[in-house]
Amino acid sequence: MDIADIATPEYIEVDADERLGKVRSIFDRENPKGLIVTRDGEYAGVIGERDLIRSRIEDDTKASVLMKSAPRVDRTEDVREVARVLVEGGTKVAPVYEGENLWGIVTADAILEAVLDSLDALTVEQIQTEEVISVGEKSHVGQAINRLREHGISRLPVVDDDGSLVGVLTTHDIVDFVVRDADRQGRGDRRGDLDRMLDLPVYDLMTNPVLTTTSDATVEDAVRTMLDNDVSGLIVTPSEEEDDLVAGVLTKTDVLRALTFTEEGQMDVQITNVALLDTIAREEIVEGITDVADKYQEMQVHHAHVRFHEHKEKLRGTPLIQCQIRLRTNRGQVAGSGEGYGADHAFHVAADTLERNVLELKGLIADEQYRGQLLRKLGEL
Protein backbone atom coordinates (compact mmCIF):
# COMPACT_ATOMS: atom_id res chain seq x y z
CA MET A 1 0.00 0.00 0.00
CA ASP A 2 1.42 3.39 -0.97
CA ILE A 3 0.52 6.91 0.16
CA ALA A 4 -0.81 8.19 -3.19
CA ASP A 5 -4.34 8.45 -1.80
CA ILE A 6 -3.28 9.32 1.74
CA ALA A 7 -1.15 12.37 1.00
CA THR A 8 -2.89 15.72 0.61
CA PRO A 9 -2.05 18.90 -1.30
CA GLU A 10 -3.62 20.91 1.55
CA TYR A 11 -0.59 22.65 2.99
CA ILE A 12 0.80 26.17 3.33
CA GLU A 13 4.33 27.38 2.72
CA VAL A 14 6.10 29.96 4.88
CA ASP A 15 9.59 31.33 4.68
CA ALA A 16 12.12 30.28 7.31
CA ASP A 17 12.52 33.95 8.32
CA GLU A 18 8.78 34.48 8.83
CA ARG A 19 7.67 35.57 12.34
CA LEU A 20 6.08 32.85 14.47
CA GLY A 21 3.32 35.32 15.29
CA LYS A 22 2.26 35.33 11.65
CA VAL A 23 2.63 31.55 11.43
CA ARG A 24 0.28 31.16 14.40
CA SER A 25 -2.27 33.45 12.74
CA ILE A 26 -2.07 31.33 9.57
CA PHE A 27 -2.90 28.19 11.54
CA ASP A 28 -5.79 29.97 13.26
CA ARG A 29 -7.17 31.34 9.98
CA GLU A 30 -6.48 28.56 7.46
CA ASN A 31 -6.41 25.46 9.72
CA PRO A 32 -4.02 23.66 7.32
CA LYS A 33 -3.11 19.99 7.60
CA GLY A 34 0.53 20.98 7.81
CA LEU A 35 3.00 23.74 7.16
CA ILE A 36 6.08 23.57 4.93
CA VAL A 37 9.02 25.85 5.70
CA THR A 38 11.17 27.02 2.79
CA ARG A 39 14.45 28.90 2.54
CA ASP A 40 15.27 30.69 -0.72
CA GLY A 41 12.40 28.82 -2.33
CA GLU A 42 13.75 25.39 -1.35
CA TYR A 43 12.21 22.99 1.16
CA ALA A 44 13.82 23.36 4.59
CA GLY A 45 11.52 21.65 7.10
CA VAL A 46 8.04 21.33 8.59
CA ILE A 47 6.12 22.76 11.52
CA GLY A 48 3.36 20.69 13.06
CA GLU A 49 0.29 22.25 14.63
CA ARG A 50 0.91 20.67 18.03
CA ASP A 51 4.51 21.93 18.07
CA LEU A 52 3.29 25.44 17.35
CA ILE A 53 0.49 25.38 19.91
CA ARG A 54 2.69 23.98 22.67
CA SER A 55 5.57 26.35 22.03
CA ARG A 56 6.09 29.34 24.32
CA ILE A 57 8.56 30.93 21.91
CA GLU A 58 7.98 34.65 21.36
CA ASP A 59 6.01 35.77 18.30
CA ASP A 60 8.96 37.74 16.90
CA THR A 61 11.10 34.59 16.67
CA LYS A 62 11.80 33.20 13.19
CA ALA A 63 9.88 30.13 12.00
CA SER A 64 13.17 28.27 11.42
CA VAL A 65 13.63 27.94 15.20
CA LEU A 66 10.55 25.72 15.51
CA MET A 67 10.78 23.72 12.28
CA LYS A 68 11.80 20.07 12.12
CA SER A 69 13.81 18.55 9.31
CA ALA A 70 11.48 15.81 8.06
CA PRO A 71 12.86 13.78 5.11
CA ARG A 72 10.95 14.14 1.84
CA VAL A 73 8.96 11.13 0.62
CA ASP A 74 7.68 10.17 -2.81
CA ARG A 75 3.95 10.27 -3.48
CA THR A 76 3.97 6.55 -4.30
CA GLU A 77 6.21 5.54 -1.37
CA ASP A 78 5.15 2.51 0.67
CA VAL A 79 3.23 3.25 3.88
CA ARG A 80 5.72 1.22 5.93
CA GLU A 81 8.67 3.34 4.81
CA VAL A 82 6.79 6.59 5.42
CA ALA A 83 5.84 5.40 8.91
CA ARG A 84 9.54 4.77 9.61
CA VAL A 85 10.46 8.23 8.32
CA LEU A 86 7.93 9.89 10.61
CA VAL A 87 9.01 7.87 13.67
CA GLU A 88 12.72 8.46 13.19
CA GLY A 89 12.22 12.11 12.33
CA GLY A 90 10.19 12.65 15.48
CA THR A 91 7.53 14.43 13.44
CA LYS A 92 3.88 13.93 12.56
CA VAL A 93 4.10 15.44 9.06
CA ALA A 94 6.43 14.98 6.06
CA PRO A 95 6.69 16.69 2.64
CA VAL A 96 5.48 14.64 -0.34
CA TYR A 97 7.15 14.98 -3.73
CA GLU A 98 6.02 14.00 -7.20
CA GLY A 99 9.26 13.68 -9.07
CA GLU A 100 11.24 16.81 -8.20
CA ASN A 101 8.18 18.91 -7.40
CA LEU A 102 6.72 19.43 -3.94
CA TRP A 103 3.19 18.01 -4.22
CA GLY A 104 1.81 18.09 -0.67
CA ILE A 105 2.17 16.54 2.75
CA VAL A 106 1.37 13.33 4.57
CA THR A 107 0.44 13.21 8.26
CA ALA A 108 0.63 10.48 10.87
CA ASP A 109 -3.10 10.74 11.55
CA ALA A 110 -3.91 10.32 7.85
CA ILE A 111 -1.83 7.12 7.73
CA LEU A 112 -3.47 5.73 10.87
CA GLU A 113 -6.95 6.49 9.55
CA ALA A 114 -6.13 4.78 6.24
CA VAL A 115 -4.91 1.56 7.87
CA LEU A 116 -7.47 1.38 10.69
CA ASP A 117 -9.32 -1.63 9.34
CA SER A 118 -6.13 -3.70 9.18
CA LEU A 119 -5.22 -2.96 12.80
CA ASP A 120 -7.85 -5.32 14.19
CA ALA A 121 -5.38 -8.19 13.78
CA LEU A 122 -3.09 -6.70 16.44
CA THR A 123 -3.78 -6.49 20.16
CA VAL A 124 -2.58 -3.61 22.32
CA GLU A 125 -0.43 -6.01 24.36
CA GLN A 126 1.64 -6.87 21.28
CA ILE A 127 2.94 -3.34 20.70
CA GLN A 128 2.45 -1.41 23.95
CA THR A 129 5.37 -0.07 25.96
CA GLU A 130 5.46 -2.29 29.03
CA GLU A 131 8.22 -0.70 31.10
CA VAL A 132 6.20 2.31 32.16
CA ILE A 133 7.70 5.41 33.71
CA SER A 134 5.18 6.84 36.17
CA VAL A 135 5.09 9.64 38.73
CA GLY A 136 3.45 9.97 42.14
CA GLU A 137 0.57 12.40 42.55
CA LYS A 138 2.43 14.20 45.36
CA SER A 139 5.65 14.59 43.34
CA HIS A 140 6.57 18.09 42.23
CA VAL A 141 6.00 19.18 38.63
CA GLY A 142 9.74 19.88 38.35
CA GLN A 143 10.45 16.21 39.09
CA ALA A 144 7.92 15.15 36.47
CA ILE A 145 9.51 17.43 33.85
CA ASN A 146 12.93 15.91 34.54
CA ARG A 147 11.47 12.42 34.17
CA LEU A 148 9.82 13.32 30.85
CA ARG A 149 13.08 14.78 29.55
CA GLU A 150 15.36 11.98 30.76
CA HIS A 151 13.27 9.22 29.19
CA GLY A 152 12.27 11.11 26.04
CA ILE A 153 8.55 10.54 26.61
CA SER A 154 5.50 12.78 26.43
CA ARG A 155 3.21 11.33 29.13
CA LEU A 156 3.43 9.96 32.64
CA PRO A 157 0.76 7.85 34.37
CA VAL A 158 0.12 9.40 37.78
CA VAL A 159 -0.28 6.97 40.67
CA ASP A 160 -1.21 7.32 44.35
CA ASP A 161 0.65 5.89 47.33
CA ASP A 162 -0.83 2.43 46.63
CA GLY A 163 0.29 2.47 42.99
CA SER A 164 -3.25 2.91 41.67
CA LEU A 165 -3.80 5.01 38.53
CA VAL A 166 -5.31 8.40 39.39
CA GLY A 167 -4.42 10.52 36.37
CA VAL A 168 -2.00 11.26 33.55
CA LEU A 169 0.42 14.16 33.09
CA THR A 170 1.54 15.10 29.57
CA THR A 171 3.87 17.71 28.14
CA HIS A 172 0.72 19.36 26.77
CA ASP A 173 -0.71 19.70 30.30
CA ILE A 174 2.47 21.41 31.47
CA VAL A 175 2.76 23.80 28.53
CA ASP A 176 -0.95 24.57 28.62
CA PHE A 177 -0.66 25.55 32.29
CA VAL A 178 2.40 27.73 31.64
CA VAL A 179 0.76 29.51 28.69
CA ARG A 180 -2.49 30.13 30.58
CA ASP A 181 -0.54 31.40 33.58
CA ALA A 182 1.55 33.68 31.35
CA ASP A 183 -1.58 35.14 29.77
CA ARG A 184 -3.05 35.73 33.21
CA GLN A 185 0.08 37.29 34.74
CA GLY A 186 1.21 39.28 31.70
CA ARG A 187 4.74 39.92 30.55
CA GLY A 188 7.73 40.71 32.74
CA ASP A 189 10.12 38.85 35.01
CA ARG A 190 8.27 35.62 35.84
CA ARG A 191 11.10 33.60 37.35
CA GLY A 192 9.26 33.46 40.67
CA ASP A 193 6.12 32.20 38.91
CA LEU A 194 8.15 29.49 37.18
CA ASP A 195 9.66 28.36 40.47
CA ARG A 196 6.19 28.23 41.97
CA MET A 197 4.97 26.06 39.10
CA LEU A 198 7.89 23.63 39.48
CA ASP A 199 7.02 23.21 43.16
CA LEU A 200 3.35 22.42 42.49
CA PRO A 201 2.23 18.83 43.12
CA VAL A 202 1.58 16.80 39.99
CA TYR A 203 -1.99 16.33 41.22
CA ASP A 204 -2.72 20.00 40.41
CA LEU A 205 -1.82 19.67 36.71
CA MET A 206 -2.70 16.07 35.82
CA THR A 207 -5.66 15.09 33.64
CA ASN A 208 -8.42 13.03 35.19
CA PRO A 209 -10.32 10.90 34.29
CA VAL A 210 -7.73 9.07 32.22
CA LEU A 211 -8.36 7.80 28.71
CA THR A 212 -7.40 4.12 28.78
CA THR A 213 -7.45 0.94 26.77
CA THR A 214 -6.92 -2.68 27.83
CA SER A 215 -4.16 -5.11 26.95
CA ASP A 216 -6.54 -7.43 25.07
CA ALA A 217 -8.21 -4.64 23.07
CA THR A 218 -7.50 -4.42 19.35
CA VAL A 219 -5.13 -1.72 18.18
CA GLU A 220 -7.91 -0.59 15.85
CA ASP A 221 -10.18 0.25 18.79
CA ALA A 222 -7.33 1.96 20.64
CA VAL A 223 -6.42 4.14 17.64
CA ARG A 224 -10.08 5.09 17.14
CA THR A 225 -10.16 6.28 20.75
CA MET A 226 -7.03 8.38 20.16
CA LEU A 227 -8.35 9.92 16.94
CA ASP A 228 -11.83 10.58 18.34
CA ASN A 229 -10.41 12.33 21.41
CA ASP A 230 -7.49 14.05 19.65
CA VAL A 231 -4.86 12.55 21.94
CA SER A 232 -1.55 10.95 21.02
CA GLY A 233 -1.53 8.16 23.60
CA LEU A 234 -3.49 6.00 26.04
CA ILE A 235 -2.69 4.35 29.37
CA VAL A 236 -3.08 0.55 29.15
CA THR A 237 -4.77 -1.36 31.98
CA PRO A 238 -4.81 -5.18 32.38
CA SER A 239 -8.60 -5.35 31.95
CA GLU A 240 -11.75 -3.29 32.34
CA GLU A 241 -12.14 -4.71 35.85
CA GLU A 242 -8.60 -3.65 36.79
CA ASP A 243 -8.88 -0.11 35.45
CA ASP A 244 -6.78 1.35 38.29
CA LEU A 245 -3.67 -0.70 37.43
CA VAL A 246 -1.09 0.35 34.85
CA ALA A 247 0.02 -2.38 32.43
CA GLY A 248 1.61 -0.16 29.80
CA VAL A 249 1.33 2.85 27.53
CA LEU A 250 0.25 2.91 23.89
CA THR A 251 0.98 5.89 21.63
CA LYS A 252 0.44 6.73 17.99
CA THR A 253 4.20 6.38 17.55
CA ASP A 254 4.01 2.78 18.83
CA VAL A 255 1.38 2.07 16.17
CA LEU A 256 3.45 3.70 13.43
CA ARG A 257 6.41 1.53 14.50
CA ALA A 258 4.20 -1.56 14.25
CA LEU A 259 3.39 -0.63 10.65
CA THR A 260 7.05 -1.17 9.76
CA PHE A 261 6.76 -4.92 10.33
CA THR A 262 7.75 -6.74 7.15
CA GLU A 263 5.70 -9.51 5.62
CA GLU A 264 7.93 -11.98 7.47
CA GLY A 265 7.01 -10.42 10.80
CA GLN A 266 10.35 -8.67 11.26
CA MET A 267 10.47 -5.02 12.25
CA ASP A 268 12.92 -2.46 11.02
CA VAL A 269 15.30 -0.78 13.42
CA GLN A 270 13.85 2.49 14.71
CA ILE A 271 16.05 5.36 15.85
CA THR A 272 14.94 8.25 18.03
CA ASN A 273 16.83 11.56 17.69
CA VAL A 274 18.60 10.74 14.43
CA ALA A 275 19.80 14.35 14.37
CA LEU A 276 22.40 13.36 16.99
CA LEU A 277 24.10 10.87 14.66
CA ASP A 278 27.51 12.35 13.92
CA THR A 279 30.26 9.90 12.91
CA ILE A 280 28.01 6.86 12.66
CA ALA A 281 25.48 6.07 9.91
CA ARG A 282 22.11 4.44 10.30
CA GLU A 283 23.35 1.43 8.33
CA GLU A 284 26.17 0.88 10.85
CA ILE A 285 23.65 0.88 13.71
CA VAL A 286 21.47 -1.70 11.97
CA GLU A 287 24.52 -3.85 11.22
CA GLY A 288 25.72 -3.60 14.83
CA ILE A 289 22.38 -4.70 16.25
CA THR A 290 22.16 -7.54 13.72
CA ASP A 291 25.61 -8.77 14.79
CA VAL A 292 24.53 -8.83 18.43
CA ALA A 293 21.26 -10.62 17.66
CA ASP A 294 23.15 -13.22 15.64
CA LYS A 295 25.03 -14.25 18.79
CA TYR A 296 21.95 -16.25 19.60
CA GLN A 297 20.47 -17.80 16.45
CA GLU A 298 17.16 -18.82 18.02
CA MET A 299 16.33 -15.22 18.96
CA GLN A 300 14.18 -13.47 16.37
CA VAL A 301 14.17 -9.69 16.71
CA HIS A 302 10.69 -8.33 16.01
CA HIS A 303 11.55 -4.76 16.85
CA ALA A 304 14.69 -2.82 17.70
CA HIS A 305 14.51 0.70 19.12
CA VAL A 306 17.63 2.82 19.50
CA ARG A 307 17.29 6.11 21.38
CA PHE A 308 19.96 8.80 21.65
CA HIS A 309 19.83 11.55 24.29
CA GLU A 310 22.22 14.50 24.50
CA HIS A 311 23.55 15.71 27.86
CA LYS A 312 24.83 19.23 28.48
CA GLU A 313 28.36 18.00 29.26
CA LYS A 314 30.90 18.26 26.42
CA LEU A 315 34.49 17.22 25.77
CA ARG A 316 36.36 19.37 23.26
CA GLY A 317 33.04 20.37 21.76
CA THR A 318 31.65 16.82 21.53
CA PRO A 319 28.51 16.28 23.63
CA LEU A 320 28.06 13.43 26.06
CA ILE A 321 25.44 11.13 24.53
CA GLN A 322 23.37 8.43 26.16
CA CYS A 323 22.31 5.52 23.95
CA GLN A 324 19.57 3.04 24.83
CA ILE A 325 18.95 -0.08 22.73
CA ARG A 326 15.88 -2.21 23.28
CA LEU A 327 15.07 -5.42 21.41
CA ARG A 328 11.65 -7.04 21.43
CA THR A 329 12.17 -10.67 20.50
CA ASN A 330 10.43 -14.01 20.47
CA ARG A 331 12.38 -14.72 23.67
CA GLY A 332 11.23 -11.58 25.49
CA GLN A 333 12.73 -8.12 25.80
CA VAL A 334 16.42 -7.43 26.20
CA ALA A 335 18.14 -4.06 26.46
CA GLY A 336 21.46 -2.31 26.84
CA SER A 337 22.52 1.27 27.46
CA GLY A 338 25.70 3.29 27.63
CA GLU A 339 27.20 6.76 27.42
CA GLY A 340 30.01 8.22 25.39
CA TYR A 341 31.18 11.40 23.74
CA GLY A 342 29.44 11.38 20.38
CA ALA A 343 26.79 9.00 19.07
CA ASP A 344 29.36 6.54 17.68
CA HIS A 345 31.04 6.01 21.07
CA ALA A 346 27.71 5.88 22.94
CA PHE A 347 26.23 3.31 20.56
CA HIS A 348 29.16 0.93 20.81
CA VAL A 349 29.15 1.10 24.62
CA ALA A 350 25.42 0.36 24.61
CA ALA A 351 25.88 -2.44 22.05
CA ASP A 352 28.53 -4.09 24.28
CA THR A 353 26.10 -4.03 27.20
CA LEU A 354 23.33 -5.37 24.97
CA GLU A 355 25.57 -8.23 23.82
CA ARG A 356 26.33 -9.24 27.41
CA ASN A 357 22.62 -9.22 28.20
CA VAL A 358 21.80 -11.26 25.08
CA LEU A 359 24.40 -13.87 26.03
CA GLU A 360 23.07 -13.89 29.58
CA LEU A 361 19.58 -14.48 28.18
CA LYS A 362 21.02 -17.30 26.09
CA GLY A 363 22.54 -18.85 29.22
CA LEU A 364 19.31 -18.58 31.20
CA ILE A 365 17.33 -20.29 28.45
CA ALA A 366 20.00 -22.97 28.12
CA ASP A 367 19.76 -23.56 31.88
CA GLU A 368 15.98 -23.84 31.62
CA GLN A 369 16.28 -26.33 28.77
CA TYR A 370 18.83 -28.36 30.77
CA ARG A 371 16.55 -28.41 33.81
CA GLY A 372 13.66 -29.50 31.61
CA GLN A 373 15.70 -32.34 30.14
CA LEU A 374 16.84 -33.42 33.62
CA LEU A 375 13.28 -33.47 34.94
CA ARG A 376 12.09 -35.53 32.00
CA LYS A 377 14.87 -38.07 32.59
CA LEU A 378 14.05 -38.25 36.29
CA GLY A 379 10.40 -38.82 35.37
CA GLU A 380 11.42 -41.78 33.23
CA LEU A 381 13.25 -43.52 36.12
Side-chain angles (χ1 to χ4, degrees), residues 54-345:
R54 295 176 181 180
S55 170
R56 292 184 60 234
I57 300 176
E58 296 292 336
D59 285 349
D60 288 337
T61 307
K62 294 181 180 180
S64 58
V65 172
L66 202 57
M67 74 177 184
K68 292 185 177 179
S69 182
R72 51 188 276 181
V73 297
D74 190 85
R75 191 181 172 195
T76 58
E77 184 62 83
D78 184 75
V79 166
R80 300 177 190 277
E81 177 61 19
V82 177
R84 184 187 69 79
V85 166
L86 292 175
V87 170
E88 293 195 347
T91 180
K92 296 295 188 293
V93 57
V96 177
Y97 277 74
E98 196 165 53
E100 293 301 314
N101 300 316
L102 179 61
W103 182 87
I105 61 169
V106 63
T107 65
D109 281 1
I111 290 177
L112 293 175
E113 288 173 355
V115 301
L116 260 179
D117 292 342
S118 63
L119 296 178
D120 63 345
L122 284 173
T123 64
V124 169
E125 187 176 23
Q126 290 176 293
I127 65 172
Q128 70 186 39
T129 298
E130 296 176 342
E131 295 185 9
V132 182
I133 307 300
S134 61
V135 66
E137 61 180 346
K138 298 177 184 176
S139 298
H140 294 162
V141 170
Q143 294 172 305
I145 291 174
N146 286 334
R147 196 160 294 183
L148 289 165
R149 183 188 300 118
E150 288 172 6
H151 296 277
I153 53 180
S154 61
R155 68 196 56 248
L156 292 168
V158 181
V159 296
D160 62 17
D161 292 339
D162 297 325
S164 297
L165 178 66
V166 294
V168 62
L169 182 73
T170 68
T171 52
H172 178 68
D173 294 324
I174 295 171
V175 173
D176 183 55
F177 175 84
V178 172
V179 172
R180 281 188 287 110
D181 199 45
D183 291 341
R184 184 169 60 250
Q185 297 290 338
R187 296 182 182 275
D189 188 350
R190 302 184 57 254
R191 284 173 294 183
D193 295 329
L194 180 59
D195 290 340
R196 180 181 64 82
M197 186 207 77
L198 296 177
D199 288 336
L200 286 174
V202 167
Y203 182 86
D204 286 358
L205 267 68
M206 72 180 191
T207 297
N208 181 277
V210 187
L211 282 173
T212 63
T213 184
T214 58
S215 296
D216 60 354
T218 66
V219 174
E220 177 186 359
D221 287 341
V223 172
R224 287 189 189 279
T225 299
M226 288 189 243
L227 293 175
D228 290 345
N229 292 276
D230 192 27
V231 296
S232 58
L234 302 171
I235 305 302
V236 183
T237 63
S239 65
E240 293 183 0
E241 293 74 24
E242 301 174 292
D243 58 0
D244 62 340
L245 299 179
V246 180
V249 173
L250 181 74
T251 67
K252 289 179 179 177
T253 300
D254 292 325
V255 181
L256 289 174
R257 284 198 186 102
L259 293 180
T260 64
F261 271 103
T262 65
E263 300 301 327
E264 291 76 28
Q266 297 298 310
M267 182 176 271
D268 197 2
V269 174
Q270 301 293 335
I271 303 173
T272 298
N273 293 334
V274 289
L276 294 179
L277 299 188
D278 45 13
T279 57
I280 186 170
R282 186 180 191 283
E283 292 72 21
E284 293 178 69
I285 292 176
V286 175
E287 183 178 348
I289 292 177
T290 301
D291 289 343
V292 172
D294 285 346
K295 300 288 183 180
Y296 180 37
Q297 295 294 332
E298 295 181 26
M299 186 174 74
Q300 298 174 5
V301 178
H302 298 311
H303 165 57
H305 182 202
V306 183
R307 177 180 176 269
F308 291 95
H309 172 71
E310 182 177 359
H311 293 295
K312 293 182 179 179
E313 181 182 339
K314 291 186 178 181
L315 178 65
R316 300 188 186 91
T318 302
L320 179 64
I321 302 290
Q322 180 190 52
C323 177
Q324 299 172 325
I325 308 173
R326 185 172 303 282
L327 307 184
R328 181 171 293 177
T329 80
N330 62 326
R331 298 291 185 174
Q333 293 194 29
V334 59
S337 63
E339 293 183 343
Y341 290 97
D344 187 1
H345 184 197

